[in-house]
Amino acid sequence: MTKDAALPKILIVDDIPENLFVLEKILGKLEVNIISASSGNEALAHVLDHDFALIILDIQMPEMDGYEVAEILKFDEATANIPIIFVTAIDRDTTKEMKGYDTGAVDFIFKPLNKFILLSKVKVFLELYKIKTGLEQMVMERTLELNKINKSLIEQIEKNAEAAREIEKGRAYLSKVINTISSCLISVDDKGCITDMNIQAQKISGISAMEAKGEPVSKIFPFYVMLMKNVKQAIESDAPVEKSRTPVYIKGKLVINNFFIYPFSFNDNMGAVIRVDDVTERVKMDEIVIQSEKMLSMGGIAAGMAQEMNNPLAGIIQNIQVIRNRIQKKLPANESTAVECGISFDAMGNYLEKRGIFKMIDAVHQSGKKAACIVEDMLNFSRKSEGYVSDEEIVVLVDKSVKIALNDHMINSDTNSSFTSIEINRNYQENLPRIPCQAGKIQQVILNILKNGIQAMETKSYEDGDKKRFDITIRTAPNDMICILISDNGHGMSETISKKIFEPFFTTKKNCTGLGLSIAYFIITEDHKGYLSVSSDQNKGTTFTIRLPMKKVSS
């Protein structure tokens, strides 16, 4: 690089050659490289090729004045910071000075030029330029040094980061696996304080793993406090501990849990992982399967019993009717036979009447008919229906069944009873779709449930102002199902009775066969591929839940 090339550059711009000559003479004493331009366009062309420390710019020029040149330089990021000194022969005018400063000027010099003032101002800007370039050079050198150091550090950091990434990747993978597990996982130390837990555990507790860390299990999971003795046992024995199908109340709701406690040691510290599985639905399904198998078994027994009983029962009913006809009706054959035997038919009738024989015959006949009804129920229970299926409005079927049940209740109730009227609260979802079903069978189920509810309410004492009441809700449910909930405010049932309520021949009432709800269960589950369940609170009431598919399900 030549000496001139290394010198700071000053651009002088004036359309009058004599003025350029004077400026070159004055500035020639400085160690600078002077470049001149006789127009604004020429000045802009030089700016593209050179890096200037200062521009001395005449304001009054033809074609493009100094203000315009400064304005263009100001709006170009590469030239916006070049200091500009305006030169003008115009008398000092504050407005024009403000315009100059606004377009990017840093100073003004007025003609005729004062050599001393011009050199003083130029020297200041040259000194600033040297400081600036010196700092830039220093920064560049330091930057190169730092780049070398940084490169070395970056290489080392990259190696460390790669190792950390692999560790984090493994940790994230393990965390994702743990959080994907549907089980609740809680790790604890030997004092029973939480060290970590997965997402499922956080959902159950309502507390984040960070907040729970270091807290006792009994505080975060008060419903698992009974596990602490098992945790201690697992850690001391260094062997897993298992508790199956344990009932737990979580926030007022009964759930069935399986507990597994696995001990571990880490850096000479002992601890354990508690795994909790919610098996409530599984237990319910097991009970449904057992119930279904029991129902199928009882269905077979019922069918066999019904067939065995049907023929002799028919003979009893038929023959008792024949006996009545032969001893009570004055038929020629009866009277002539009585004469042959030496007795009066009327006298015989009087004797039988006074001895209550006719009443006994009536009782036998009624008992036979009742037994026939039981046999018919048993056959219906065991028989898989192939009835006609049609698309029905479930609301219409329910309301018809309610009307029949209430009418039957009114007819059979004591008219003087204050409990004759029953309040019906309906909560039906709008625009429910039609469902494929056997209308008569569904009405039979609903009627049976309503009658059971009425009987339950009639045996309960109500306080003043309370009334017997059914709450009936019909709505859509997940998995394309229609859900019907029928609740009464009767005396309710114990859990033991609730579990047996659908079993054939099970009843708590007098003069009942115990087949009504069993048949209802078969109609819903077997004939319609739906679900029928019951929940009850003693002294509060009972709710039957029926779920029926909205689309026909093939057998």
Side-chain angles (χ1 to χ4, degrees):
M1 183 183 290
T2 63
K3 184 179 178 182
D4 286 347
L7 293 176
K9 296 177 183 178
I10 297 177
L11 175 63
I12 55 175
V13 187
D14 200 311
D15 61 313
I16 300 174
E18 292 80 359
N19 292 342
L20 289 174
F21 179 77
V22 172
L23 283 169
E24 287 177 357
K25 283 293 182 182
I26 295 172
L27 300 173
K29 297 179 181 181
L30 302 174
E31 292 187 357
V32 294
N33 189 356
I34 300 170
I35 297 174
S36 61
S38 58
S39 68
N41 285 326
E42 188 180 353
L44 294 174
H46 283 309
V47 168
L48 294 174
D49 297 329
H50 301 280
D51 179 21
F52 290 106
L54 178 66
I55 298 175
I56 300 174
L57 179 60
D58 185 36
I59 291 177
Q60 289 182 301
M61 294 186 295
E63 296 181 3
M64 186 186 299
D65 63 21
Y67 293 130
E68 292 178 270
V69 175
E71 191 76 30
I72 293 170
L73 294 174
K74 178 182 176 181
F75 283 100
D76 188 337
E77 189 177 343
T79 59
N81 294 322
I82 301 174
I84 298 172
I85 298 176
F86 274 135
V87 178
T88 180
I90 302 172
D91 292 336
R92 176 165 287 196
D93 185 331
T94 302
T95 303
K96 289 185 172 58
E97 285 186 50
M98 292 302 296
K99 182 179 178 182
Y101 287 123
D102 188 55
T103 55
V106 296
D107 210 343
F108 271 84
I109 295 179
F110 296 91
K111 296 177 182 178
L113 297 174
N114 184 307
K115 178 181 176 181
F116 176 76
I117 293 173
L118 176 62
L119 288 174
S120 295
K121 292 188 175 185
V122 170
K123 285 177 181 178
V124 169
F125 287 109
L126 289 176
E127 191 63 31
L128 289 172
Y129 179 76
K130 288 178 181 178
I131 292 170
K132 175 189 168 187
T133 53
L135 287 172
E136 288 175 349
Q137 182 64 30
M138 187 183 298
V139 169
M140 189 179 298
E141 291 172 357
R142 291 293 176 87
T143 301
L144 289 173
E145 290 178 17
L146 289 172
N147 283 343
K148 290 180 181 178
I149 296 170
N150 284 343
K151 185 178 179 182
S152 176
L153 287 173
I154 287 168
E155 289 175 355
Q156 186 59 45
I157 290 169
E158 192 60 40
K159 290 179 182 177
N160 295 341
E162 183 62 31
R165 278 195 294 271
E166 288 300 318
I167 293 171
E168 188 58 34
K169 191 185 293 182
R171 190 174 294 165
Y173 178 77
L174 181 60
S175 176
K176 185 171 284 188
V177 170
I178 290 172
N179 286 323
T180 302
I181 296 172
S182 60
S183 302
C184 167
L185 298 177
I186 310 163
S187 63
V188 298
D189 59 23
D190 56 356
K191 296 182 180 63
C193 293
I194 295 170
T195 56
D196 202 358
M197 57 188 191
N198 70 346
I199 292 291
Q200 190 62 27
Q202 293 173 50
K203 287 179 180 178
I204 292 173
S205 66
I207 297 173
S208 69
M210 188 66 69
E211 292 173 306
K213 193 170 184 178
E215 298 288 350
V217 170
S218 57
K219 180 180 178 181
I220 305 302
F221 300 94
F223 33 82
Y224 295 154
V225 67
M226 75 289 188
L227 293 177
M228 297 321 300
K229 62 180 181 181
N230 303 109
V231 171
K232 185 178 180 182
Q233 176 190 343
I235 292 174
E236 289 177 351
S237 64
D238 195 26
V241 175
E242 179 180 342
K243 284 171 66 70
S244 298
R245 300 201 172 192
T246 305
V248 180
Y249 280 92
I250 300 177
K251 299 174 183 176
K253 181 182 178 183
L254 176 65
V255 296
I256 309 298
N257 287 152
N258 285 348
F259 296 103
F260 303 89
I261 302 167
Y262 306 97
F264 68 86
S265 62
F266 182 73
N267 293 337
D268 297 327
N269 294 317
M270 295 297 294
V273 173
I274 304 169
R275 173 182 150 197
V276 185
D277 292 325
D278 185 348
V279 294
T280 308
E281 291 303 318
R282 191 190 310 168
V283 170
K284 286 182 180 178
M285 289 305 298
D286 288 347
E287 290 178 352
I288 289 172
V289 170
I290 292 169
Q291 178 75 3
S292 296
E293 290 176 351
K294 188 185 295 183
M295 297 284 275
L296 288 170
S297 176
M298 291 301 295
I301 294 170
M305 289 174 61
Q307 293 292 347
E308 291 297 323
M309 291 171 62
N310 212 20
N311 290 333
L313 190 59
I316 291 170
I317 294 171
Q318 183 178 354
N319 284 313
I320 201 69
Q321 187 65 41
V322 172
I323 291 171
R324 174 188 285 279
N325 290 339
R326 291 191 178 183
I327 65 176
Q328 194 171 14
K329 288 187 178 183
K330 283 189 174 185
L331 298 174
N334 293 341
E335 290 181 333
S336 63
T337 303
V339 170
E340 287 178 11
C341 294
I343 59 174
S344 165
F345 185 80
D346 291 334
M348 180 187 69
N350 289 333
Y351 170 79
L352 294 174
E353 179 70 34
K354 287 181 178 181
R355 294 298 291 164
I357 303 302
F358 292 135
K359 289 182 180 179
M360 292 178 188
I361 291 173
D362 287 341
V364 172
H365 189 257
Q366 289 299 321
S367 296
K369 288 174 67 177
K370 187 174 181 180
C373 289
I374 293 172
V375 169
E376 182 63 26
D377 283 346
M378 291 168 68
L379 288 171
N380 287 336
F381 173 73
S382 63
R383 190 184 299 127
K384 188 170 181 180
S385 174
E386 297 294 339
Y388 177 71
V389 174
S390 59
D391 289 339
E392 301 289 343
E393 292 185 31
I394 192 63
V395 169
V396 173
L397 296 182
V398 170
D399 283 342
K400 283 182 179 179
S401 301
V402 169
K403 187 175 180 181
I404 293 169
L406 293 181
N407 287 339
D408 181 67
H409 172 61
M410 291 293 290
I411 293 168
N412 295 311
S413 293
D414 180 1
T415 54
N416 295 320
S417 172
S418 59
F419 298 111
T420 300
S421 63
I422 297 177
E423 183 179 307
I424 307 293
N425 292 331
R426 293 174 172 86
N427 180 20
Y428 299 164
Q429 181 179 321
E430 294 182 359
N431 301 319
L432 287 168
R434 288 174 172 267
I435 62 168
C437 67
Q438 298 176 46
K441 290 295 183 73
I442 295 299
Q443 283 185 269
Q444 179 185 345
V445 170
I446 296 166
L447 191 58
N448 199 305
I449 291 171
L450 291 170
K451 284 184 175 181
N452 274 275
I454 290 170
Q455 291 169 2
M457 290 188 285
E458 285 183 336
T459 58
K460 178 180 176 180
S461 297
Y462 291 82
E463 296 179 1
D464 292 341
D466 286 345
K467 295 180 68 175
K468 293 186 289 187
R469 186 183 72 253
F470 279 115
D471 295 318
I472 305 175
T473 299
I474 308 176
R475 55 178 168 78
T476 55
N479 302 319
D480 291 330
M481 305 287 276
I482 289 287
C483 183
I484 308 164
L485 294 98
I486 303 174
S487 302
D488 65 64
N489 63 342
H491 56 65
M493 299 178 286
S494 67
E495 186 178 350
T496 303
I497 293 175
S498 295
K499 287 183 177 180
K500 295 181 178 181
I501 198 72
F502 297 119
E503 291 184 6
F505 309 111
F506 176 80
T507 181
T508 59
K509 304 164 193 169
K510 293 181 180 179
N511 302 318
C512 287
T513 64
L515 286 171
L517 288 174
S518 301
I519 294 171
Y521 186 87
F522 253 49
I523 288 172
I524 297 299
T525 59
E526 292 295 316
D527 294 347
H528 292 83
K529 306 304 176 187
Y531 302 90
L532 176 59
S533 60
V534 65
S535 60
S536 187
D537 287 327
Q538 282 190 298
N539 299 320
K540 291 185 179 179
T542 301
T543 298
F544 284 87
T545 302
I546 304 169
R547 285 186 289 165
L548 295 169
M550 286 192 274
K551 297 177 182 177
K552 188 173 181 180
V553 180
S554 56
S555 300

Short mmCIF file of all heavy atoms in Angstrom, two decimals, residues 87-129:
data_model
loop_
_atom_site.label_atom_id
_atom_site.label_comp_id
_atom_site.label_asym_id
_atom_site.label_seq_id
_atom_site.Cartn_x
_atom_site.Cartn_y
_atom_site.Cartn_z
N VAL A 87 -20.10 24.69 2.56
CA VAL A 87 -19.44 25.96 2.23
C VAL A 87 -20.43 26.80 1.44
O VAL A 87 -21.03 26.31 0.48
CB VAL A 87 -18.15 25.74 1.41
CG1 VAL A 87 -17.51 27.09 1.05
CG2 VAL A 87 -17.16 24.88 2.17
N THR A 88 -20.63 28.07 1.85
CA THR A 88 -21.61 28.92 1.16
C THR A 88 -21.19 30.38 1.20
O THR A 88 -20.53 30.83 2.14
CB THR A 88 -22.99 28.77 1.80
OG1 THR A 88 -23.91 29.60 1.10
CG2 THR A 88 -23.00 29.15 3.27
N ALA A 89 -21.58 31.10 0.11
CA ALA A 89 -21.31 32.54 0.05
C ALA A 89 -22.53 33.33 0.49
O ALA A 89 -22.52 34.55 0.53
CB ALA A 89 -20.91 32.93 -1.38
N ILE A 90 -23.62 32.63 0.85
CA ILE A 90 -24.85 33.30 1.27
C ILE A 90 -24.66 33.84 2.67
O ILE A 90 -23.97 33.24 3.51
CB ILE A 90 -26.02 32.31 1.24
CG1 ILE A 90 -26.18 31.71 -0.16
CG2 ILE A 90 -27.31 32.96 1.69
CD1 ILE A 90 -27.18 30.58 -0.23
N ASP A 91 -25.26 34.99 2.93
CA ASP A 91 -25.20 35.54 4.29
C ASP A 91 -25.79 34.53 5.26
O ASP A 91 -26.69 33.77 4.94
CB ASP A 91 -25.98 36.86 4.36
CG ASP A 91 -25.30 37.95 3.53
OD1 ASP A 91 -24.07 37.84 3.31
OD2 ASP A 91 -26.01 38.89 3.10
N ARG A 92 -25.26 34.60 6.48
CA ARG A 92 -25.74 33.66 7.50
C ARG A 92 -27.25 33.80 7.67
O ARG A 92 -27.75 34.87 7.90
CB ARG A 92 -25.02 33.91 8.80
CG ARG A 92 -25.53 33.04 9.93
CD ARG A 92 -24.59 33.04 11.11
NE ARG A 92 -23.40 32.25 10.78
CZ ARG A 92 -22.52 31.80 11.69
NH1 ARG A 92 -22.73 32.04 12.96
NH2 ARG A 92 -21.46 31.14 11.33
N ASP A 93 -27.91 32.65 7.53
CA ASP A 93 -29.38 32.58 7.66
C ASP A 93 -29.71 31.34 8.50
O ASP A 93 -29.38 30.20 8.12
CB ASP A 93 -30.00 32.46 6.26
CG ASP A 93 -31.54 32.50 6.35
OD1 ASP A 93 -32.09 32.08 7.38
OD2 ASP A 93 -32.16 32.94 5.35
N THR A 94 -30.35 31.58 9.65
CA THR A 94 -30.65 30.48 10.58
C THR A 94 -31.48 29.39 9.92
O THR A 94 -31.25 28.19 10.11
CB THR A 94 -31.39 31.02 11.82
OG1 THR A 94 -30.59 32.01 12.42
CG2 THR A 94 -31.65 29.89 12.82
N THR A 95 -32.45 29.79 9.10
CA THR A 95 -33.32 28.82 8.44
C THR A 95 -32.52 27.89 7.54
O THR A 95 -32.70 26.67 7.54
CB THR A 95 -34.40 29.54 7.62
OG1 THR A 95 -35.14 30.40 8.49
CG2 THR A 95 -35.36 28.55 6.97
N LYS A 96 -31.57 28.51 6.74
CA LYS A 96 -30.76 27.70 5.82
C LYS A 96 -29.79 26.82 6.60
O LYS A 96 -29.50 25.69 6.19
CB LYS A 96 -30.02 28.62 4.85
CG LYS A 96 -30.95 29.26 3.82
CD LYS A 96 -30.15 30.05 2.79
CE LYS A 96 -31.03 30.54 1.65
NZ LYS A 96 -32.15 31.38 2.08
N GLU A 97 -29.27 27.34 7.72
CA GLU A 97 -28.38 26.52 8.54
C GLU A 97 -29.13 25.28 9.08
O GLU A 97 -28.62 24.15 9.07
CB GLU A 97 -27.82 27.34 9.71
CG GLU A 97 -26.73 28.33 9.28
CD GLU A 97 -26.10 29.01 10.49
OE1 GLU A 97 -25.71 28.28 11.42
OE2 GLU A 97 -26.03 30.24 10.51
N MET A 98 -30.35 25.51 9.57
CA MET A 98 -31.15 24.40 10.11
C MET A 98 -31.44 23.37 9.02
O MET A 98 -31.43 22.15 9.27
CB MET A 98 -32.47 24.92 10.69
CG MET A 98 -32.28 25.76 11.95
SD MET A 98 -31.45 24.87 13.26
CE MET A 98 -32.62 23.60 13.60
N LYS A 99 -31.70 23.86 7.80
CA LYS A 99 -31.93 22.96 6.69
C LYS A 99 -30.69 22.12 6.41
O LYS A 99 -30.77 20.91 6.16
CB LYS A 99 -32.33 23.75 5.45
CG LYS A 99 -32.63 22.86 4.23
CD LYS A 99 -33.05 23.70 3.04
CE LYS A 99 -33.31 22.78 1.83
NZ LYS A 99 -33.68 23.54 0.63
N GLY A 100 -29.52 22.76 6.50
CA GLY A 100 -28.26 22.05 6.27
C GLY A 100 -28.02 20.97 7.30
O GLY A 100 -27.69 19.82 6.98
N TYR A 101 -28.23 21.34 8.58
CA TYR A 101 -28.04 20.35 9.65
C TYR A 101 -29.05 19.20 9.49
O TYR A 101 -28.72 18.04 9.76
CB TYR A 101 -28.20 21.00 11.02
CG TYR A 101 -27.03 21.89 11.40
CD1 TYR A 101 -27.22 23.23 11.71
CD2 TYR A 101 -25.72 21.38 11.42
CE1 TYR A 101 -26.14 24.04 12.06
CE2 TYR A 101 -24.65 22.18 11.76
CZ TYR A 101 -24.85 23.52 12.09
OH TYR A 101 -23.81 24.31 12.42
N ASP A 102 -30.25 19.56 9.05
CA ASP A 102 -31.28 18.54 8.90
C ASP A 102 -30.95 17.54 7.80
O ASP A 102 -31.32 16.37 7.86
CB ASP A 102 -32.63 19.21 8.62
CG ASP A 102 -33.78 18.22 8.63
OD1 ASP A 102 -33.93 17.51 9.65
OD2 ASP A 102 -34.51 18.14 7.63
N THR A 103 -30.23 18.00 6.77
CA THR A 103 -29.88 17.11 5.65
C THR A 103 -28.61 16.33 5.92
O THR A 103 -28.23 15.47 5.11
CB THR A 103 -29.70 17.92 4.35
OG1 THR A 103 -28.73 18.96 4.58
CG2 THR A 103 -31.02 18.53 3.91
N GLY A 104 -27.91 16.59 7.05
CA GLY A 104 -26.76 15.76 7.39
C GLY A 104 -25.48 16.51 7.63
O GLY A 104 -24.45 15.88 7.91
N ALA A 105 -25.47 17.84 7.54
CA ALA A 105 -24.23 18.61 7.75
C ALA A 105 -23.84 18.60 9.22
O ALA A 105 -24.70 18.49 10.09
CB ALA A 105 -24.42 20.04 7.28
N VAL A 106 -22.53 18.69 9.48
CA VAL A 106 -22.05 18.79 10.87
C VAL A 106 -21.52 20.20 11.16
O VAL A 106 -21.32 20.54 12.32
CB VAL A 106 -20.95 17.74 11.15
CG1 VAL A 106 -21.51 16.34 11.03
CG2 VAL A 106 -19.76 17.90 10.22
N ASP A 107 -21.30 21.00 10.08
CA ASP A 107 -20.78 22.36 10.30
C ASP A 107 -20.97 23.21 9.04
O ASP A 107 -21.29 22.67 7.96
CB ASP A 107 -19.30 22.33 10.68
CG ASP A 107 -18.89 23.48 11.58
OD1 ASP A 107 -19.66 24.47 11.65
OD2 ASP A 107 -17.85 23.37 12.24
N PHE A 108 -20.81 24.55 9.19
CA PHE A 108 -20.91 25.51 8.09
C PHE A 108 -19.65 26.36 8.06
O PHE A 108 -19.12 26.72 9.11
CB PHE A 108 -22.13 26.42 8.29
CG PHE A 108 -23.40 25.88 7.71
CD1 PHE A 108 -24.17 24.97 8.43
CD2 PHE A 108 -23.83 26.28 6.46
CE1 PHE A 108 -25.34 24.47 7.92
CE2 PHE A 108 -25.02 25.78 5.94
CZ PHE A 108 -25.77 24.88 6.67
N ILE A 109 -19.17 26.68 6.82
CA ILE A 109 -18.09 27.68 6.63
C ILE A 109 -18.59 28.67 5.58
O ILE A 109 -19.11 28.26 4.54
CB ILE A 109 -16.78 27.03 6.16
CG1 ILE A 109 -16.24 26.09 7.26
CG2 ILE A 109 -15.74 28.10 5.82
CD1 ILE A 109 -14.96 25.38 6.88
N PHE A 110 -18.45 29.92 5.88
CA PHE A 110 -18.94 30.97 4.98
C PHE A 110 -17.79 31.61 4.20
O PHE A 110 -16.67 31.78 4.71
CB PHE A 110 -19.68 32.04 5.80
CG PHE A 110 -20.92 31.52 6.47
CD1 PHE A 110 -20.87 30.99 7.76
CD2 PHE A 110 -22.13 31.52 5.79
CE1 PHE A 110 -22.00 30.48 8.37
CE2 PHE A 110 -23.28 31.02 6.40
CZ PHE A 110 -23.21 30.51 7.68
N LYS A 111 -18.06 31.92 2.94
CA LYS A 111 -17.09 32.62 2.06
C LYS A 111 -17.17 34.13 2.34
O LYS A 111 -18.27 34.63 2.66
CB LYS A 111 -17.43 32.33 0.60
CG LYS A 111 -17.29 30.85 0.22
CD LYS A 111 -17.70 30.66 -1.24
CE LYS A 111 -17.62 29.19 -1.64
NZ LYS A 111 -18.05 28.95 -3.02
N PRO A 112 -16.06 34.79 2.21
CA PRO A 112 -14.73 34.28 1.83
C PRO A 112 -14.16 33.40 2.93
O PRO A 112 -14.40 33.62 4.10
CB PRO A 112 -13.91 35.54 1.61
CG PRO A 112 -14.56 36.56 2.47
CD PRO A 112 -16.01 36.28 2.47
N LEU A 113 -13.41 32.35 2.50
CA LEU A 113 -12.89 31.37 3.42
C LEU A 113 -11.83 31.96 4.34
O LEU A 113 -10.97 32.74 3.92
CB LEU A 113 -12.28 30.19 2.67
CG LEU A 113 -13.25 29.36 1.82
CD1 LEU A 113 -12.49 28.32 1.01
CD2 LEU A 113 -14.28 28.71 2.70
N ASN A 114 -11.89 31.57 5.61
CA ASN A 114 -10.86 31.92 6.59
C ASN A 114 -9.98 30.70 6.75
O ASN A 114 -10.41 29.64 7.22
CB ASN A 114 -11.52 32.28 7.93
CG ASN A 114 -10.50 32.75 8.96
OD1 ASN A 114 -9.52 32.05 9.21
ND2 ASN A 114 -10.75 33.90 9.56
N LYS A 115 -8.72 30.83 6.30
CA LYS A 115 -7.79 29.70 6.27
C LYS A 115 -7.64 29.05 7.65
O LYS A 115 -7.68 27.82 7.79
CB LYS A 115 -6.43 30.20 5.77
CG LYS A 115 -5.35 29.12 5.73
CD LYS A 115 -4.03 29.73 5.23
CE LYS A 115 -2.90 28.69 5.27
NZ LYS A 115 -1.62 29.28 4.82
N PHE A 116 -7.52 29.87 8.68
CA PHE A 116 -7.29 29.36 10.02
C PHE A 116 -8.50 28.54 10.51
O PHE A 116 -8.36 27.45 11.03
CB PHE A 116 -7.01 30.53 10.98
CG PHE A 116 -6.87 30.09 12.41
CD1 PHE A 116 -5.70 29.47 12.86
CD2 PHE A 116 -7.91 30.28 13.31
CE1 PHE A 116 -5.60 29.07 14.18
CE2 PHE A 116 -7.81 29.87 14.61
CZ PHE A 116 -6.64 29.26 15.07
N ILE A 117 -9.69 29.13 10.31
CA ILE A 117 -10.93 28.44 10.76
C ILE A 117 -11.10 27.14 10.00
O ILE A 117 -11.44 26.10 10.59
CB ILE A 117 -12.16 29.34 10.57
CG1 ILE A 117 -12.06 30.55 11.52
CG2 ILE A 117 -13.45 28.58 10.81
CD1 ILE A 117 -13.14 31.60 11.30
N LEU A 118 -10.89 27.16 8.67
CA LEU A 118 -11.07 25.97 7.86
C LEU A 118 -10.15 24.85 8.32
O LEU A 118 -10.58 23.72 8.53
CB LEU A 118 -10.83 26.29 6.38
CG LEU A 118 -10.90 25.09 5.41
CD1 LEU A 118 -12.30 24.47 5.44
CD2 LEU A 118 -10.54 25.52 4.00
N LEU A 119 -8.84 25.19 8.47
CA LEU A 119 -7.88 24.16 8.88
C LEU A 119 -8.19 23.60 10.27
O LEU A 119 -8.07 22.41 10.53
CB LEU A 119 -6.45 24.72 8.84
CG LEU A 119 -5.86 24.95 7.44
CD1 LEU A 119 -4.51 25.64 7.52
CD2 LEU A 119 -5.73 23.62 6.69
N SER A 120 -8.61 24.48 11.17
CA SER A 120 -8.91 24.05 12.54
C SER A 120 -10.06 23.02 12.53
O SER A 120 -10.00 21.98 13.20
CB SER A 120 -9.29 25.24 13.41
OG SER A 120 -8.18 26.11 13.55
N LYS A 121 -11.09 23.34 11.80
CA LYS A 121 -12.24 22.43 11.76
C LYS A 121 -11.90 21.13 11.05
O LYS A 121 -12.31 20.04 11.50
CB LYS A 121 -13.42 23.11 11.07
CG LYS A 121 -13.99 24.27 11.88
CD LYS A 121 -15.27 24.81 11.28
CE LYS A 121 -15.87 25.88 12.19
NZ LYS A 121 -17.17 26.36 11.73
N VAL A 122 -11.13 21.22 9.96
CA VAL A 122 -10.77 20.01 9.23
C VAL A 122 -9.90 19.10 10.11
O VAL A 122 -10.07 17.87 10.13
CB VAL A 122 -10.06 20.36 7.92
CG1 VAL A 122 -9.45 19.11 7.27
CG2 VAL A 122 -11.02 21.02 6.94
N LYS A 123 -8.96 19.74 10.86
CA LYS A 123 -8.07 18.94 11.73
C LYS A 123 -8.86 18.17 12.79
O LYS A 123 -8.53 17.03 13.13
CB LYS A 123 -7.04 19.85 12.41
CG LYS A 123 -5.94 20.31 11.48
CD LYS A 123 -4.98 21.28 12.20
CE LYS A 123 -3.88 21.77 11.25
NZ LYS A 123 -2.98 22.73 11.94
N VAL A 124 -9.90 18.83 13.33
CA VAL A 124 -10.74 18.14 14.33
C VAL A 124 -11.37 16.88 13.74
O VAL A 124 -11.33 15.80 14.35
CB VAL A 124 -11.84 19.09 14.87
CG1 VAL A 124 -12.85 18.31 15.70
CG2 VAL A 124 -11.22 20.21 15.68
N PHE A 125 -11.91 17.01 12.54
CA PHE A 125 -12.58 15.86 11.93
C PHE A 125 -11.58 14.80 11.50
O PHE A 125 -11.87 13.59 11.55
CB PHE A 125 -13.44 16.31 10.74
CG PHE A 125 -14.69 17.03 11.17
CD1 PHE A 125 -14.82 18.40 10.96
CD2 PHE A 125 -15.72 16.35 11.80
CE1 PHE A 125 -15.96 19.06 11.38
CE2 PHE A 125 -16.86 17.02 12.19
CZ PHE A 125 -16.98 18.38 11.99
N LEU A 126 -10.36 15.23 11.07
CA LEU A 126 -9.32 14.26 10.73
C LEU A 126 -8.86 13.48 11.97
O LEU A 126 -8.62 12.27 11.91
CB LEU A 126 -8.12 14.95 10.08
CG LEU A 126 -8.34 15.49 8.66
CD1 LEU A 126 -7.11 16.25 8.18
CD2 LEU A 126 -8.65 14.36 7.69
N GLU A 127 -8.75 14.20 13.09
CA GLU A 127 -8.36 13.55 14.34
C GLU A 127 -9.42 12.51 14.76
O GLU A 127 -9.09 11.40 15.19
CB GLU A 127 -8.17 14.61 15.44
CG GLU A 127 -7.51 14.07 16.70
CD GLU A 127 -6.08 13.57 16.45
OE1 GLU A 127 -5.38 14.11 15.56
OE2 GLU A 127 -5.68 12.62 17.15
N LEU A 128 -10.68 12.92 14.65
CA LEU A 128 -11.77 11.99 14.97
C LEU A 128 -11.73 10.78 14.05
O LEU A 128 -11.99 9.64 14.48
CB LEU A 128 -13.12 12.70 14.86
CG LEU A 128 -13.44 13.75 15.92
CD1 LEU A 128 -14.72 14.48 15.56
CD2 LEU A 128 -13.57 13.09 17.29
N TYR A 129 -11.41 11.00 12.78
CA TYR A 129 -11.35 9.90 11.82
C TYR A 129 -10.22 8.93 12.18
O TYR A 129 -10.41 7.71 12.12
CB TYR A 129 -11.13 10.47 10.41
CG TYR A 129 -11.03 9.40 9.34
CD1 TYR A 129 -12.16 8.74 8.87
CD2 TYR A 129 -9.78 9.04 8.80
CE1 TYR A 129 -12.06 7.76 7.89
CE2 TYR A 129 -9.68 8.06 7.83
CZ TYR A 129 -10.82 7.43 7.38
OH TYR A 129 -10.72 6.43 6.42
#
